[in-house]
Amino acid sequence: MFYRFFYPFSQNYFCYFVISTEKQYLCISNTHSFPFSKMKKTLSIVLVLLFFQCLKADYMDHRNRGIDSLEQVLNTHTDLSADELVRIYENLTCGLLPTDGKKTADYARKCIALAPKSKEYKCIANAWKNLGLTYYGRCVYDSAHECFLEGLKVMEEAEKVKGCSQFHIDDEKAGLMGSIANNYNMQGRVHLALDYYLKTLILYQKIDTKECQVICLYNMGELYLELGNFEEAEDHYRQARDIALLTNDSLIVSMPSSGLAMTLLNAGQYKEAEQNARYC
């Protein structure tokens, strides 16, 4: 039986979850099949990378930001304040990140250079994060880690400033910690990744961002599965699925449901595995 679900790593590919009592496969498009064990890690990392950049509350703002319009403002206005420039540069890093790593890094550095003149802490921290993600995308993990830590330092400074929104501080810190977790995940440093996913989860629970909680729990489930701790993996998948069902977001629901279905399948609980696979 095939249950189709979409992993957002390409607009041209769909994945198919196969329920079988003998083998588990992920199928990319309609023509290529790969053993699940070989594909699981790669797809997980793609998902966690997209998570912290694409599933935030302001995702649509990032995606629809007028890059040409913002660059035109920079070219035609010479009287912009430091705060205005920081906001524009940060917006450009968010808009360009999926398509142009070089320009993303250039604008991030311009944004960061204005930090001594600006109090736009969240924008500056996000510029550090996006700069880190350009290194992350090229597997330069040490440099990525340094950028994420610099972003956290900015938010620590913001916490000392009266009037800064604690919600925005916690939200940005969670995104940075999640990026550190992803970075450790890619390097196979599983226990450190779990530690940072837990720190991230606590912050997202504090600000009640359910979608982000789901993916933290999902990735923790993936890592426990990698460690061979099937009981913890199943528990985290279940927690993630239960929260996901409250979001009414089919993509969010499909991720922990697929992990739970696979875990149950391996345990021989075929009926419940099939029930969860129907969410995929």
Side-chain angles (χ1 to χ4, degrees):
M1 289 177 288
F2 287 77
Y3 296 91
R4 187 172 72 175
F5 63 97
F6 176 58
Y7 275 120
F9 62 97
S10 169
Q11 294 179 348
N12 302 317
Y13 287 83
F14 285 82
C15 297
Y16 295 84
F17 182 68
V18 183
I19 292 291
S20 166
T21 58
E22 296 180 357
K23 295 181 180 179
Q24 306 100 48
Y25 288 96
L26 281 179
C27 302
I28 307 301
S29 77
N30 293 313
T31 57
H32 301 289
S33 297
F34 302 91
F36 183 80
S37 60
K38 294 182 180 179
M39 293 298 299
K40 193 174 182 70
K41 178 73 170 181
T42 302
L43 290 175
S44 172
I45 295 302
V46 173
L47 285 170
V48 293
L49 172 60
L50 287 171
F51 159 42
F52 291 105
Q53 294 305 305
C54 298
L55 293 179
K56 305 289 288 253
D58 52 357
Y59 169 52
M60 293 303 293
D61 291 340
H62 289 182
R63 197 171 63 171
N64 293 329
R65 285 171 178 170
I67 294 170
D68 292 340
S69 298
L70 289 172
E71 290 184 321
Q72 186 176 8
V73 170
L74 291 175
N75 293 331
T76 57
H77 292 75
T78 58
D79 57 346
L80 297 172
S81 69
D83 285 345
E84 288 172 327
L85 285 169
V86 163
R87 289 194 293 270
I88 290 172
Y89 290 144
E90 186 268 342
N91 269 261
L92 285 166
T93 67
C94 294
L96 289 164
L97 183 62
T99 58
D100 194 328
K102 185 179 184 304
K103 289 186 75 173
T104 297
D106 289 343
Y107 282 123
R109 291 188 178 98
K110 289 180 179 180
C111 181
I112 291 164
L114 288 169
K117 302 178 181 179
S118 174
K119 298 299 182 183
E120 293 287 344
Y121 296 105
K122 191 175 191 302
C123 290
I124 295 164
N126 207 41
W128 274 115
K129 182 172 66 181
N130 289 340
L131 179 59
L133 287 172
T134 65
Y135 286 114
Y136 175 94
R138 292 184 282 122
C139 304
V140 187
Y141 300 123
D142 288 346
S143 295
H145 186 75
E146 290 174 7
C147 290
F148 301 146
L149 290 180
E150 289 296 326
L152 283 175
K153 289 178 184 178
V154 173
M155 297 317 296
E156 288 168 2
E157 285 298 313
E159 287 186 298
K160 302 174 185 177
V161 178
K162 186 177 180 179
C164 285
S165 165
Q166 191 62 49
F167 176 92
H168 289 145
I169 290 170
D170 290 338
D171 182 53
E172 189 63 31
K173 285 175 68 176
L176 286 157
M177 287 183 181
S179 296
I180 291 172
N182 296 346
N183 208 41
Y184 281 136
N185 193 345
M186 279 296 289
Q187 297 174 76
R189 301 170 74 176
V190 176
H191 292 288
L192 285 169
L194 281 170
D195 182 49
Y196 271 90
Y197 280 134
L198 180 58
K199 292 176 180 178
T200 303
L201 176 63
I202 290 169
L203 284 173
Y204 280 130
Q205 288 172 334
K206 179 181 176 182
I207 61 177
D208 194 28
T209 308
K210 288 184 172 57
E211 293 86 352
C212 298
Q213 293 174 42
V214 169
I215 303 181
C216 279
L217 288 163
Y218 169 77
N219 284 303
M220 291 173 78
E222 294 282 278
L223 290 176
Y224 277 119
L225 193 65
E226 186 174 321
L227 291 170
N229 191 333
F230 300 107
E231 184 176 340
E232 284 290 344
E234 181 180 335
D235 178 61
H236 281 77
Y237 288 142
R238 284 189 186 278
Q239 289 184 61
R241 183 208 55 191
D242 292 346
I243 297 171
L245 290 171
L246 300 175
T247 69
N248 295 316
D249 186 319
S250 59
L251 175 59
I252 293 296
V253 173
S254 74
M255 288 187 293
S257 297
S258 66
L260 182 56
M262 190 60 68
T263 304
L264 292 168
L265 178 63
N266 287 334
Q269 301 179 47
Y270 304 126
K271 185 176 181 180
E272 190 178 358
E274 182 176 344
Q275 290 171 348
N276 279 277
R278 291 184 185 278
Y279 288 115
C280 300

